[in-house]
Structures are given as C-alpha cells and as structure tokens.
Amino acid sequence: MMASSYNAKDEDGHHPGSVGSGGPGAVKSKKPDNTAFKQQRLPAWQPILTAGTVLPAFFMIGLIFIPIGIGLLVTSNNIKEFEVRAVAIATSYSCECASLNNRNSPRTKDFSNVFMYYGLSNFYQNHRRYVKSRDDSQLNGDKSSLLNPSKECEPYRTSDKKSIAPCGAIANSLFNDTLELFYIHPNGSRIAIHLVKTGIAWWTDKHVKFRNPGENNNNLSIVFQDTSKPVNWRKPVYELDPSDPDNNGFINEDFIVWMRTAALPTFRKLYRIIQKKKDNMTPTLPPGNYSLEVIYNYPVRSFDGRKRMILSTISWMGGKNPFLGIAYITVGSVCFFLGVVLLIIHHKYGNRNNNADIPN
Amino acid sequence: TGSSLIGWMMREESWVDSRTVYIGQKEPPPGTEAYIPQRFPDNRIVSSKYTFWNFIPKNLFEQFRRIANFYFLIIFLVQLIIDTPTSPTTSGLPLFFVITVTAIKQGYEDWIRHKADNAINQCPVHIIQHGKVVRKQSQKLRVGDIVQVKENETFPCDLILLSTSREDGTCFVTTASLDGESSHKTYYAVQDTKAFNTAEEVDTLHATIECEQPQPDLYKFVGRINIYLDRDEPIVRPLGSENLLLRGATLKNTEYIHAVAIYTGMETKMALNYQSKSQKRSAVEKSMNAYLIVYLCILISKALINTVLKYAWQANPNRDEPWYNQKTETERQRHLIRAFTDFLAFMVLFNYIIPVSMYVTVEMQKFLGSYFILWDDDMFDEELGEGPLVNTSDLNEELGQVEYVFTDKTGTLTENNMELRECCVDGHVYVPHAICNGQILPGATGMDMIDSSPGVDGKEREELFFRALCLCHTVQVKEEETVDGIKRGIHQGKSTSFYISSSPDEVALVEGMKRLGFTYLRLKDSHMEILNREDEMERFELLEVLNFDSVRRRMSVIVRSSSGDYYLFCKGADSSVFPRVVSGKVEQVRARVEHNAVEGLRTLCVAYKKLTHEEYEETCHLLNRAKLALQDRDKKLAEAYDVIEKDFILLGATAVEDRLQDKAADTIESLHKAGMKVWVLTGDKMETAAATCYASKLFHRNTQILELTTKRTEEQSLHDVLFDLSRTVLRQHGSMTRDTFSGLSGDYQDYGLIIDGATLSAVLKPTQEVTSNGGNYKEIFLEICRNCSAVLCCRMAPLQKAQIVKMIKASKERPITLAIGDGANDVSMILEAHVGIGIMGKEGRQAARNSDYAITKFKHLKKMLLVHGHYYYIRIAELVQYFFYKNVCFIFPQFLYQFFCGFSQQPLYDTAYLTLYNISFTSLPILLYSLMEQHINMDILKRDPTLYRDIAKNSLLRWPTFIYWTFLGVFDAVVFFFGAFFLFDNTTFTSNGQMFGNWTFGTLVFTVLVFTVTLKLALDTHYWTWINHFVIWGSLLFYVIFSLLWGGIIWPFLNYQRMYYVFMQMLSSGPAWLSIILLIIVSLLPDVVKKVLCRALWPTTTERIQTKRQCLTAEQSTIFMLSQTSSSVSF
C-alpha cells in the first residue's frame, strides 16, 4: 500500500581496515565493533506516507467498505425484530395479558430460531458497587466460599447469620418475571408456544465458570442447607428449575445470564429461544395474533425503569443493528472522497514538490 | 591559551580566615605569638552517599523527592487507604519495580564508592614521629603530621613540601589524576627547610605554617612558614602553589620527600573539587514537565467534573441507592469524607494518564541511546585509540537543538600541534626547516628577507635572541632512565628525552631553537644549561621566573651568565611587549609580526634588558616583598612585575604555526548552514585569531567585519562605536524582509564581529547606565551579535568565556548554547553552556572530564550534532508526544464510561489490562522506535545541514503539536468508545443470540486501543529494521496471546473470574471483527490525512528530501531491476 524502498546498506564496506597506526592491542580493544546495529546502519525498509502512496489505499478502503456496509445494512434490515413495552399498569403481581396487535405481530416467514429477550432500561448493572458484588469462587462451587462468601458481597453477604448463596447484589436482584407467549389461533384458541430455556448462556459459563457445590451430590437442598436464599428471592437457588437438574442451582441459565453484568444501563438479556419447526416448511412463528403473558414480579418503577420484551431473529451478525452497516458505508464514502481530493492534490502539487529545488 | 588560570578575576575574594599548622604537632616557642589551637578533620575521604544503616530511608527519601515518584507514591497510598476502583497492585507494582531497580543501581554504585573509600582510607602512609618513620593508616593522618612519601606514591593529603631527596630541594610531580596533565611539574621545597633531609633531622624542625583555609582552586595557594631556628625571631618565608603538593598527585623522579600535612580529608583541594556539578536539564525535559503539569490539570479537572456530576446524579435517592444495589452501613455514613474519597477514587481511576513507565522509558532511551555515540565508528580516533565519551546521557536530545556554538580556537579549531615556522631577529628571517645547525641552506634565501647579510653586531644579537628563547621558558626535560645519555640524546634530537611544558608554544620554541643550533639541556642546581652552536656548554644561573599569566600575557626570567652579567629576558604577546620596548628595530619586527599574524601564525616577541647588580638586588627585594604578602598577593605581584618588566630592548619575534584541525572549515560551514551561530572565543590575539577564522571559513571573503576592539574604542567612545555598528547592522536588516533562510543566498550581506576581552568587559559592566536610546550597551551588543553570522572574541580570559555564554543564554530568545573546548581554560564555559563538549586534546583531560560529551576531534562535532543530535531529538520528541497520546487514548474512554455507569468509578478495562497496557502491550515498540528511528538517512543528514533547521527551537514539542496530539488522542478515544457503544447499544452481535456484558465492552475498546496506538506508531516509523518489525508485530501478537491465556483459564489465585472466555467469545463474533477493523481505520484516518496533506501542501525541508529520495530510489531500483534481471533484490 505504501511506496517503499529497500535500503540495504553494504555492511562489508565499513570494515575498519587494518591501517591502525596506533598501538596494537590496547587500541583495538577500545575500538567499537563495527556491526550494522551499532553503527545504526541496519538494513531497513523506509516507507513514506505521500499522497501518491496513500491514494490506492483510500480507494481500496472505499471499494471494500461500501459493499460490506451495504451487505451489513441489508442483513440488519432483514432481521425481524418486535418489541413490546411492558407497561407496568399493575403494581400487583397479577397476570398482565398484553394482547398483541395484529399488525405488529412478528409475521415472520423465517424458518430460523426466534429469540426472546427481556429488556430493562435505566438499570445500572454496570455500577461499580453492583459489578463487584459477587463471589466467583462461590459460584464456581467452592465449598468454603459457599459458607464464607467474599466481603465484596456486602450487604448481601449474610442473612439470619447464614451465608447467602448466591451472595451479592447481582444475584439478589435476579430478574424474576415470567414471560409466556401464546399464539392466538384464528379459531380463538390459545396455543402456548414452546420456549426453550437452555442455550441462552455462554457454554463456558454454564460448564466451567458456574458450578454447583458438592460435585456429584444430586440433592442440592442438602448441599445448600447451611446457606440462606438471597433476601429478595422467593425460593432458594436449588429450586430455580426443579424440573431439570442440569439447569438448577448455580448452573441455572437464567441465573447465569443475569450474572453477566450488562455494559450499559439500557440492556437486554436473552430469555428464551423459540426453536424452528423441524419440518422446515412452516415458519417458526406463523403470521397471526399472539398474546404475551407476564407474571409481574420485578419492580422497576422506583428507579424509572422500563421493561420490554423483544422477539428477534438473528443473522450471522447478530440482532438488528444498522450502526455497523451505516458506519461502513460512511467510512467507505469518506475514504473514497478523500481519495479523490488527494488525487487532485497529488496532481496539482505532487509534481511541483518533486521538481522543487532541494538545497544540497 | 592553555594556561590554567581559572578565576583570575575573582581576586576581590578576600582572605576570610587563616589556619595555623604546627609542624610535627609541636607548639611554637612560647611568647612568640598567641595561637589559638584549631580543630581539623581527620584524613578520611568520604565519597559514598549512604551508610549501611541509612541506605534505605535516605535512598527512599531521595527517590521520592523526584516529583513523579512522589506522585505515584501518593496514588499508591490513596489506593491502599480508600476503596478505589483498581487494586493497589496496578500502580504499586510498577512503582515498586522502578524504585527497586533505581535503589539497586544506586546501592551498587555506593558500594563501589565505599570500597574505593576504604582502600584509600586504609592505605598505609609513613609519618615521622619522634625521629622515626611510623606506618599509619591514611585516615589517621592529621594536620601538622610530617609525612614521608616515596617515589611513585600518591600524596595522601595536601602537603607543604619541606625537603626532598634531591639536593636542590625540588621534586617532580604528575597531576594526571587531578587535571589530566601528564607532564611532570616541578615543586620546590622551602629554601630554609630543604636541608632537613632525614627523618631525624625533620623531627628537629620547629616551625609553624600559616595559610588560608582550603579552597577548591587547584592552582591557587598562599601561606607562609615561620621557622624557629634558635630563640631568635622566626624566619618567615612565603609559600605558594609551587610548594603545595596536592592530594591525588603522584611523586615522580624523586626518591622521597618530607612534607607536612595542611589540608586533610574532605578539605583537600581534590575533595573540594569533586563536589558534584550542577545538573543540566534539557529543553525537552522542560517541555515534558510543562506537559505533565497540563496533564495533571486535565486529570484533576476530570476527577473534579466526575465527582460533581456524581453527586448531582445521585441527588435522586433511587439512583444513589436503588433497591437492587444497596449500600453497606459504613458506606452510608460520612458524607463529607465520602465526597473527598470519591474525588481521590476518580483520580486513581484516571491516574494512568501520567504513567510511571514514561519516566522509565525516557531514562532507558537516553541511557541506551547514548551507546550509539560511544559505538560510532566515524567518531573513533585511530591515532588516540579512543572514541567519544558520554559523561551524561541526559542531554542527548539537546544536541539537536543547538543554536549557538562557542568554540575555543587553540586545540579545538586548530591542532595545537605547534611548530616554529620562523623567527625574525631585527628583521632577518630564520626558517628552522631551512636551517640546520646554524647553516643557512640555500632555500632560505627565497624567503622574505629584509637584510640578508647580518653584520657582526647582528650576529651577536642573533645569538642573544636564541639564548633568550632557550632560557625564557618553563619547559622541563623529561629524562628517560639513561642518565648518561641525556646530553647525547638531546643533541641528536631523538628518543632518550623530550621537552614537557604546560604550554605547547614553549615546547615548539625550544625545539625550534634546537634545530637552529641552541639546545636547552636541563635545569640543574638552578643553572640552566644550554649547548650552543659550537657544542659548548653554557650555564646560566636562573635567578627569578616571572611566570606567565593571561593578564600580562608575557613571562620573564632573570638569569646570570657565567661571566656574571645579569639579564632579564622577556617574551610575550606583541601588544604587551612593544609598549615596553625602548630600542630595537621595532618597525621591522612589528611589520613582520603583523604579516605573520595575518597568516594565522601565533607570534611572540622577545626582548631583553641587562641589569646591573644593584638593579637586580632591587628587583629581588621587590619580588620578595610581594611574594611574602598574605593578602592581595597576586595584585602586589602584578604590580611588581609591572615595575620590573620595562625598558626592554627588542630582539625579535617568533612565529609558531598551529595548523587547523582536519575538516575544521567544513565543520564550521556545516554548522553555519544548519542555522547555528558560531562564536570563537580565544585568548589569542586578534590578528591570529582572525586569520584562523578566515582559514576555517568562519569569515568569508565577502563577510563585512565589524570591529569592536580597544583600538577603535580608543579613537571613539564605546558608546559611539556601539551605535555606529548597530546602525550599520540594522540598516541592512531593515531593508530586507526577515527571512532567515535566505541567509544562504549570495545577495545577503554577511556580518562578522570581532570583539576583544577588554571591550567586552566594558560592554558588560553592570553599572552601565541606561543610555539615551533606552537600551543599555548590553542590549545593543546583543542586537549586533544577533545579526552577525559569526563572532570572534579574542583575548578572552577563561571566566569571560563563561560570561559570554551566560549572557547569550540569558538573552530573550533563550537559545540553546553549546561550548566546545579542550583546555582547562574552557572548563568554565563548558560548565556554563547548555551542552558542554570537551575535546580530548593535548592540554590534558580537564575539559573532557568536566564536559557532558567528549570527542577526539572538532570535526566529529558535525556528526554529533547533525546526525546524532537530530536523531535523538526527533526520537525523544516522538517518544514524549506518543506517550501522552497513548495514555489519552487509554484513559479517555474510561472517563466517558463514567457517564454511563452512574459515575460509580467502574473501570472499563480489566485490572490486568490496566496494569500491563503501559508496561508490556505498548512499551517496547515506542522504546525501540526511540532507539532506532531514522526519518532520513544518516548520510543525507550529514550532507545537508539545513535539515537541522527543521527541528530548531524545539519545533516538535511546541504547544500546537502537543495540542494536536492530545486532540488526536481524544478523537481516537471517542471513536473507540462510541464505536463500541453503538455496537453494544441494546442489541446482540453474536450469531447465537447470546449477550455480552461490560467486560466484553471494555475488552473490545481495549483491543481497538492497543491496535490503534501500535499502528499509529507503525505509521510514524520511517525506518523499519527487523527489530521494529519484531517488536511492533510481536507486541500485538503478545497482546492477543496474553488475552487468550488470561481469559482461557480459571485463575486459582484470583478472587474474580470476570475475564473468563470474554476475549474468545468476542472473537467468535463477526461484527466484533468488523468493528475492530473499522474503528482502527477510523482512528488512524485523520492522522494519515493530516500527514499526507501537510506533506503535499506545506512540505518541510525534511519531507521534501524524503520524497525526493523516494523518487530517486524508485528510479534507481527500476533501473537496477531492468539491468540485473537475474539477481534478486535482497532485503
């Protein structure tokens, strides 16, 4: 991309020569070695950024970035995303049934998985006091940490003189709303859509980073018997998913997902996966009306928070995000434009400079 | 000029106090005078700084006195005390490392000093006690002890010589370890004590010495000795520096001496001289400190802004303490203190903006970089067998900033290899090359002879002239061991013995005389023996020597010939001899002297007078009285000399040639082209110096010379002359635009100024009243100098040289000055200038020892400044700017992140990244860049000195550049942060729908950051050796490997596992890759565009040359490729 010249100095031309007129031994010992390194004459590539050399690079970037950007933008636009603002009408823990409007429903003809997210806004999961309020060794199944959690968990470390498992503010504020999605059949019947609750957490988290204490002891209630549940929880950690022992206790995926603190105060977390139909003939979510049922447990109004439910398909580049595509197109165009400008400059001034008088 | 008379101007310095020393610790006879006993220190030398006990506290104290270390200590302590976002190790570890390495280095150096001290303090000395020789440890020696020193032993303290093994009471001493002069100097015992030769005899000596309190001037000493022989009045004798044997000097050619200790231990002149030199700081360091202060302000304001915003944001209790994120009890209390600790926590979070590693890197760069000077083959001198010396590496980059060069003439511009070219006796010119043993060879007649047939009278005068030169000097004959062969050896002119003197002119004269038939043999029993043309020995009794000094600029001897006639011979500069001449062929000699001076020869005039016995007695009396004076002895001596040295009869003149050093003219021309102003400061006289200046191209043929000399000021008043000159200069100046670069073109009138010492001191006189024009003389003088391309200052005293340097340093542009010289007389200016360069020359090593850099030849200055200085400057400038830039890039995203995490001091990056960013991820590329970078080839830099102007005036570290870099850093940081922000904004970018957390966010920013700052450096690198490739790609690879490893394992010793698989998960996502590439390109784009545009539209000379070379090599390589298709291009 850059014009270059290879400047290989002949190292042989600089040998000291045995003309030394002074005394023999002492003189030679003081004389520095004549290596290319010591004489700062190592062979080197000496590139220079000039308009001429940068031009092709700019055009190349332009030519590569704009198609990539268009591709990204198209991909992003093809992603179907549907968002429901779960307005907290009721403060009671009643069932809130949101009737999904016909028009906005995910009339997806996609045959791929649909991902169900819950979103919170104005929730500072990245607050320092919050981020550090966890004990990773406890979550990794360490027995001693189970009974004696890290100081970082304060003030969610102990309750009733028993250590809390899992300790800390993050675990304590686990999202505990239940979302259910129903397909309203044109004939009026409600068909519950099967929501898969595994595969939502990182594989490494589920299998390595998070581990239940007491290795092979399947009875988690015994393992956790000397601990107390987090104060805000309704049920202890070993009852998070009694139906599936591989999704219970610390390795419950809803829990693991929550424990990965979000980067920004408005975030979404993967809740469930709606798997595609096996036959590959019918769309995952056929067009029609859907109803979302939320068992409302999680209070967000006190901190002006909002809850959302998002249904989204996923492409190779993830969810809907036009930013990257737009950015690529912009940068590509800017580079192309700069390339044109530099071309003009190069033609107007480049020759002048090369012919300019250079004092010798 | 080589005379080492520092400090002759400090004469007003008064006699503060005197000390009385009882020789052999014996009380004087009672009743003579009431002496108050004094206490003196013992003879222990302590050069070490620390003891075993105080090492740790004292060393730590000294290290933390450095402002940067103290700052890091404070940060560390804050981290220890309060709850801060980052662990104390992140700043404690690097600080600990730096402090430990420095402490080990200093401790080792001190241990070596301790060992050396012990070796010196415990070495045995021989003391005479009760008539016996007693062995003692050197440290037990006390003032007043009589010491016996044998040949080749070193004096253990400052001693007054009492007696020697030689009958005449002299001894020879070499002071090589003190001032580097390897010649043997003669010291004299006190006349009345020289008979006390054996231990028993010395013990019977009853005397006291009164002398001044110790002072560091090696060449100055006054005192007197009172000898109580009987019950009579004591005999009082003067003591001078010729009686004082200095600690550190070595006894030579003398079997043994007896001497009495007067200054011991830390009061010896050697110890007083080893006090540390004042620290010089480079301009770059000053800019660096200024930038530091700016960054400290940025840091504090960032912390302050965040603290204020935090409390504003937290005003809502639901934000401060939402239900999901409660505080502990202790956190709820102490509101006022909390605000302060919050501020400190923000400081800690952002403190990486001023990294410890910058100091370490700068130090390492300077230290390692200085090796390139040591290794430079081009600056190695085969003849001396020595290369350059680097005494301090702190000033490497200052070599690239020099604006004024002050150079000595003799030995620096010239070889200081004197040879007698001719002598002129009453107008007859003798050329030693053409004359051999008195036979005038035919070739000599071709010379410019005024009268080719000297008469009988002329013959006599001629011989007197030769004798005068054989007698009037302080040359010693160094005898090789074969004592018998002395006469023959000298006579045959080779090998067995040779002449030594502190002044090479004298050696040249005496050697020239030898070729003209008069051979000086030796000084024996105060008789000077010379061999005349008829091979007859003539003996003259040497009665008095009126030593040379730079004020009188002449020396005289009084001798008595074998026939009993008293002669006073004097030789000296023409200006100091002619006014004292009453007869002789003054006009012819003067014409010849002037002719020679214009040729660039060093001329001396020789005169004599005959004294009657009475006159001699009177002279003796006069001299002794002056010598005995304790107060103002120098002044009284000068007065006495003034009376004695007059009414001369002129004999003739000599001309000694001092050849210009190899390539001196070329070097000076290059320095001129590089925009430096070269001043020659010399003690030599105007005509000679001016001739040298013409020869060395300092003045060109079309240079208009402005003279500011005594000659002119005698005609006009100083005031008028100054105004005349300034008008001349300014008229020229006003008529043209202020374009310094066109100074190279022909139509520009060049000015050269010549000023002499006397006029200069008049100009600089501080009492000078403000003139009618508003400015004082000094201002006008500076204004004139500023418009002259070359200035010659002649007849300078050593201290005046320093004064000039100081004056230029203090002028309003604050230019960077460089002083270069070879002799002891240049030391003061070498110490005064920003950069002092010593030349390892014939006049000893004193200049080299006191300099910052020492080179062997003047011509090496060219490479030193134009190549090494240039390189060091651009390297360190980039180093400093880049360091600040990369830390802005590093810390500014953290600052932005605070706005999105509730100002909770949540760090964006993981602790390992915070710690290692400056230590390992980005440290080596910049260090190696700052060692290897060559933006232009060495040969081009040397060939084209004008490139030096491109970096003049600290151009790469000016505020606009600094602000550009800072804004670039802020821009990049904004790109990193918001790039990641929009990518993360409420969506996922994995293909399995899973979400990333805050650590992935930080890691993404950090990855872009590391790649961007490293690639930014890669874009700035113009010289890619395999080492650069290795460190740049290597450290990127290291970052990737480290991140994989750091996230790949559940680390058992960590209490958090937040980075587990974060890096890998990030890399598994396509958009992460795409955005990393995008953000890197966007961050680098503005800098590339700026560079390309500046190069195309407003290229500097450097850039033009780079471009041109680019084209040339491109063409060459195509030709090369075309012609040699078969050969492969080698890397």
Side-chain angles (χ1 to χ4, degrees), chain A residues 6 39-40 42 45 48-49 117 124 126 128-129 136 156 201 261 263 268 302 308 318-319 328 353 358-359, chain B residues 318 320 324 326 375 377 875 897 900 904-905 934 944 986 988 993-994 997-998 1023-1024 1057 1074 1096 1108:
Chain A
Y6 282 92
Q39 300 307 318
Q40 305 194 67
L42 280 176
W45 173 53
I48 291 167
L49 284 178
Y117 295 90
Y124 283 84
N126 59 5
R128 183 161 74 92
R129 202 164 60 228
D136 276 336
Y156 305 100
T261 48
R268 62 166 78 163
S302 65
R308 287 162 301 146
Y328 260 89
N353 285 337
I358 293 164
Chain B
N318 277 325
D320 185 26
Y324 57 85
Q326 305 275 310
W375 285 334
D377 201 40
R875 287 167 185 174
Y897 193 56
F900 299 94
S904 59
Q905 301 129 19
Q934 297 179 21
D944 195 347
N986 199 22
T988 179
Q994 291 168 357
N998 64 323
Y1023 196 75
W1024 285 83
Q1057 307 296 340
L1074 285 177
K1108 180 168 187 184

Side-chain angles (χ1 to χ4, degrees), chain B residues 12 444 589 683 807 811 839 975 1023:
Chain B
E12 58 268 67
V589 174
M807 177 184 81
S811 70
I839 289 194
V975 168
Y1023 196 75

Side-chain angles (χ1 to χ4, degrees), chain B residues 737-751:
Chain B
T737 50
R738 200 189 174 88
D739 190 355
T740 43
F741 285 83
S742 67
L744 294 167
S745 59
D747 56 324
Y748 177 71
Q749 178 65 52
D750 237 1
Y751 287 105

Side-chain angles (χ1 to χ4, degrees), chain B residues 143-272:
Chain B
V143 169
D145 283 346
I146 299 173
V147 183
Q148 188 185 59
V149 182
K150 301 219 171 68
E151 187 170 358
N152 289 331
E153 282 182 354
T154 307
F155 301 122
C157 61
D158 291 353
L159 304 162
I160 288 291
L161 184 57
L162 293 175
S163 62
T164 76
S165 60
R166 296 165 82 102
E167 283 165 42
D168 56 358
T170 60
C171 71
F172 295 101
V173 162
T174 165
T175 53
S177 59
L178 275 174
D179 57 9
E181 292 178 31
S182 56
S183 61
H184 291 191
K185 298 194 180 109
T186 316
Y187 286 80
Y188 302 93
V190 182
Q191 286 299 310
D192 306 80
T193 60
K194 70 177 180 188
F196 296 87
N197 245 337
T198 63
E200 294 81 32
E201 282 168 4
V202 166
D203 203 43
T204 61
L205 179 67
H206 215 102
T208 59
I209 291 174
E210 281 172 83
C211 60
E212 56 185 354
Q213 290 293 4
Q215 53 150 322
D217 190 340
L218 291 181
Y219 309 101
K220 242 175 107 179
F221 174 75
V222 279
R224 83 184 145 207
I225 184 167
N226 306 312
I227 303 163
Y228 306 92
L229 284 178
D230 298 308
R231 285 271 159 193
D232 303 334
E233 277 291 292
I235 304 169
V236 181
R237 294 285 168 213
L239 296 173
S241 55
E242 71 277 4
N243 307 111
L244 181 69
L245 304 169
L246 298 175
R247 175 174 194 148
T250 311
L251 185 65
K252 292 282 178 190
N253 285 356
T254 313
E255 203 183 318
Y256 64 86
I257 58 148
H258 289 114
V260 58
I262 56 161
Y263 302 138
T264 49
M266 297 311 287
E267 290 185 346
T268 56
K269 288 185 182 262
M270 184 184 80
L272 290 174

Side-chain angles (χ1 to χ4, degrees), chain B residues 977-998:
Chain B
F977 182 79
F978 285 104
F981 179 86
F982 286 118
L983 190 70
F984 269 77
D985 189 21
N986 199 22
T987 182
T988 179
F989 53 91
T990 55
S991 52
N992 58 7
Q994 291 168 357
M995 298 301 298
F996 288 144
N998 64 323

